[in-house]
Structure formats: structure tokens, C-alpha cells
């Protein structure tokens, strides 16, 4: 069977730790005479992650090792989310959709939420749009028609499509390995240790 991307990583055993950190491309020039700074915000914003698996017996590790090989270094992609925040802290009810095609930037106009709700999403909640992972930066309320404008990070990846679905539960993004190396440590007693780093696939 042909491998198609993005692959789904094994669900068991789950990672012991996922360290997620956002990257913003910001240039800073410092005067060597006064120390004054000039700051320029570039467009680049993306997610990175370090994933550490628990110590596994060889049979448990086999699906994870196979997944690494399926990725073929940085070539393939996989879906990944924040395991600590799979459900929103906001109310997040309704059938949320993107409201308007061609949106760009860090605000997303949406509709389809339950009308008139304070805290329909809370800051720190994740959403998924077009297989991309975003975090809500500011608490959002829905108006009387179920509309809400979300301030999100990172910037929208591509211009939106009208009525595109918004996922609020178990949102994921698309990542690739940060390196072409895919090592694992085999220890006596058939114990395997494995860790890897990932970067958002752009």
C-alpha cells in the first residue's frame, strides 16, 4: 500500500512529553554606539515541537520506528497537536465556519457559533483551519448572529475559503521532522528510547 501524507502517528504509547514552542521571525538591529534598537517584524510565524517518547519495549516501539521510516527524513509529513489542550476552555458551541473568502493576517472572521455567548473561545484555545493549527490570543465572544472575530497566532497560512470548517476539539497541524536523521536508542532488556523534533510544514 502506498504511503500518503500526512501520516497519522501511533496513538499508543503516547509521548511522555511534547515541548511546543512558537517561532516568530523578528529582526533586531542594535546601534553599537547608543544601544538603540530597530525592530522589524517579518511575516514568518510557525510552530516547532520536541517529542520525547517513554521508554518502550521493542514491540511497543516498532510502530513508532516504522512511522519515522515512513516519513523518510524531512520528506513526509504528519499531524500533531498539543496533547495537554485537546478541548477548548471556552464554550465553543455551534458549527463554526470561516466567514468570508480571501482572509489573511492574524484576524479570522467566523460565524456559525451559538449566538450571544461571552467567551465562545478563550485565549490559549487552539483551532484547526484547513489542516493548520492556530491559537486564539484574545478571549472571543459571539454576537447575536453567531459571528465572532478571532485574533490568532500564527498568521493565516493561505487565503481562506468561505464556509471552511473550524475544528475546536483535538485540533492538529501538519508537521515534518526537523532533521533527516531518525535515530533511536536500543538498550539491554529490549528497551527502546526515541525522541525527535518537528517543525510546522509550510
Amino acid at each position: 500500500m502506498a504511503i500518503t501524507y500526512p501520516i497519522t502517528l501511533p496513538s499508543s504509547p503516547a509521548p511522555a512529553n511534547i515541548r511546543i514552542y512558537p517561532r516568530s521571525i523578528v529582526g533586531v538591529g542594535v546601534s553599537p554606539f547608543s544601544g538603540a534598537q530597530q525592530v522589524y517584524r517579518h511575516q514568518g510565524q510557525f510552530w516547532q515541537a520536541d517529542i520525547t517518547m517513554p521508554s518502550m519495549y521493542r514491540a511497543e516501539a516498532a510502530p513508532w520506528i516504522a512511522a519515522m521510516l515512513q516519513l523518510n527524513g524531512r520528506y513526509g509529513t504528519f499531524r500533531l497537536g498539543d496533547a495537554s489542550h485537546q478541548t477548548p476552555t471556552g464554550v465553543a458551541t455551534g458549527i463554526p465556519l470561516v466567514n468570508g473568502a480571501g482572509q489573511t493576517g492574524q484576524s479570522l472572521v467566523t460565524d456559525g457559533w451559538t449566538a450571544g455567548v461571552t467567551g465562545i473561545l478563550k485565549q490559549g484555545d487552539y483551532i484547526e483551519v484547513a489542516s493548520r493549527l492556530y491559537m486564539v490570543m484574545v478571549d472571543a465572544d459571539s454576537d447575536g448572529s453567531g459571528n465572532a472575530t478571532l485574533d490568532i497566532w500564527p498568521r493565516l497560512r493561505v487565503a481562506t475559503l468561505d464556509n471552511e470548517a473550524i475544528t475546536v476539539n483535538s485540533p492538529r497541524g501538519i508537521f515534518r521532522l526537523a532533521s533527516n536523521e531518525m535515530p533511536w536508542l536500543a538498550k539491554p532488556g529490549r528497551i527502546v528510547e526515541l525522541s525527535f523534533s518537528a517543525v510546522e510544514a509550510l
Side-chain angles (χ1 to χ4, degrees):
M1 183 177 67
I3 297 170
T4 58
Y5 301 109
I7 68 168
T8 299
L9 296 178
S11 58
S12 179
N17 295 290
I18 301 179
R19 181 175 182 261
I20 298 176
Y21 48 104
R23 287 281 308 275
S24 291
I25 307 301
V26 177
V28 180
V30 180
S31 168
F33 306 105
S34 67
Q37 299 172 347
Q38 288 187 322
V39 180
Y40 185 81
R41 181 180 65 180
H42 296 279
Q43 299 295 308
Q45 296 176 332
F46 53 92
W47 301 103
Q48 289 186 253
D50 295 328
I51 296 93
T52 303
M53 299 301 300
S55 295
M56 299 175 282
Y57 288 108
R58 185 63 177 80
E60 296 175 308
W64 278 96
I65 292 172
M68 295 297 102
L69 297 180
Q70 289 172 24
L71 291 170
N72 194 28
R74 302 193 69 192
Y75 178 74
T77 58
F78 59 93
R79 289 171 54 77
L80 182 72
D82 185 344
S84 71
H85 200 76
Q86 294 294 290
T87 56
T89 54
V91 179
T93 52
I95 304 176
L97 302 170
V98 172
N99 183 8
Q103 297 184 53
T104 59
Q106 294 202 243
S107 292
L108 179 64
V109 180
T110 67
D111 59 10
W113 303 97
T114 301
V117 175
T118 300
I120 195 71
L121 287 176
K122 293 286 193 176
Q123 59 182 184
D125 285 342
Y126 290 99
I127 61 171
E128 178 183 336
V129 181
S131 297
R132 299 295 182 180
L133 184 66
Y134 301 95
M135 179 178 280
V136 176
M137 297 189 293
V138 180
D139 289 356
D141 305 328
S142 61
D143 66 16
S145 299
N147 304 307
T149 298
L150 310 178
D151 294 310
I152 57 173
W153 194 99
R155 301 171 62 88
L156 288 164
R157 294 295 179 223
V158 294
T160 58
L161 299 177
D162 191 33
N163 290 327
E164 195 155 22
I166 298 171
T167 300
V168 296
N169 291 304
S170 299
R172 299 283 189 274
I174 299 178
F175 289 75
R176 67 176 73 251
L177 294 177
S179 170
N180 285 320
E181 297 180 354
M182 303 169 290
W184 61 89
L185 177 64
K187 302 174 70 175
R190 304 189 307 279
I191 301 298
V192 175
E193 293 184 354
L194 186 152
S195 61
F196 58 97
S197 295
V199 62
E200 190 176 5
L202 301 178

